Amino acid sequence: RSLIRNIPGVAFRCLLDADWTMLFISDAVEPLTGWPARDFIERRRSMASLYHPDDYQAVADQVFRAIEAGAKYNVEYRLFDREGREHWIWESGSAVYSDEGVPLWIDGVLLDQTETKLRNAEYAGKVNAISRAMAVIEFDMSGRILDVNDNFASLIGYGIEQLKGQNHRMLCAPEYVDSEEYQTIWDDLRKGVFRSGEVQRFGPDGREVWLHATYNPILDIDGRPFKVVKLATDLTPRRAMEQELRNARDRAEQA
């Protein structure tokens, strides 16, 4: 009981019926659902009755397929607590079989993943917003292109599949690639140093593109950079306008 009380999530043992009748369920079920464990064990309440109606049958089908195969299962579903609040649940379990191979009950654990789901949804929303608004390209630490969005592909003039797997060098002037400045930038990125500024890049037809770019090293769980995400906006029209103004000034001075 002490071990079960201290493990994360809700431990349970249930029958393989339509209600998932609980032979045992840990006290952690009360903070999750609002009902005490005894209500489930004494059959005044069933976990099945708390399921989101769109999820019950899909979960049941997946669980019984795993039991027929003698395998462990992992499922995700939504359930509602006593106050009507929706929770995202991750559940893992496996059946216990008789000597004749008949499944007797399920032993498992379920975890409330609601906060994680909300954070992931928020993160995905931010990523999508950035991707819609900006040109985005990802590199590994050697400069190989891992991924690129439509905005960047359209801006630079290459197709997405033409860019993936290639090196950052393909977008730069050869003399710049051979420069000490270029090497220093990538050395800094490999150390986790953020870099930003105006950069000149070239499309497949030699077309010049000017970008304001930020190079953002992404760190792994140990704090080591494992990839670089570059966010860019197009400065080419502004550069063209500045050049036209310079040309106009020169013409005026000559006149």
Side-chain angles (χ1 to χ4, degrees), residues 135-148:
V136 183
I137 185 169
E138 298 182 12
F139 308 95
D140 67 14
M141 301 315 296
S142 66
R144 185 171 63 90
I145 298 171
L146 302 174
D147 201 6
V148 59

Side-chain angles (χ1 to χ4, degrees), residues 46-110:
S46 73
M47 290 298 292
S49 68
L50 307 182
Y51 272 54
H52 190 289
D54 293 341
D55 294 349
Y56 175 84
Q57 193 57 52
V59 169
D61 292 344
Q62 191 171 341
V63 169
F64 281 108
R65 281 197 301 269
I67 291 172
E68 290 174 6
K72 180 180 177 179
Y73 69 83
N74 297 300
V75 292
E76 278 192 343
Y77 55 89
R78 294 160 292 177
L79 61 75
F80 296 100
D81 65 17
R82 196 167 193 164
E83 303 301 322
R85 295 181 295 249
E86 184 181 271
H87 297 258
W88 275 96
I89 304 299
W90 177 88
E91 179 181 318
S92 180
S94 58
V96 175
Y97 300 85
S98 69
D99 292 339
E100 293 76 27
V102 177
L104 302 175
W105 59 74
I106 293 172
D107 286 338
V109 63
L110 56 89

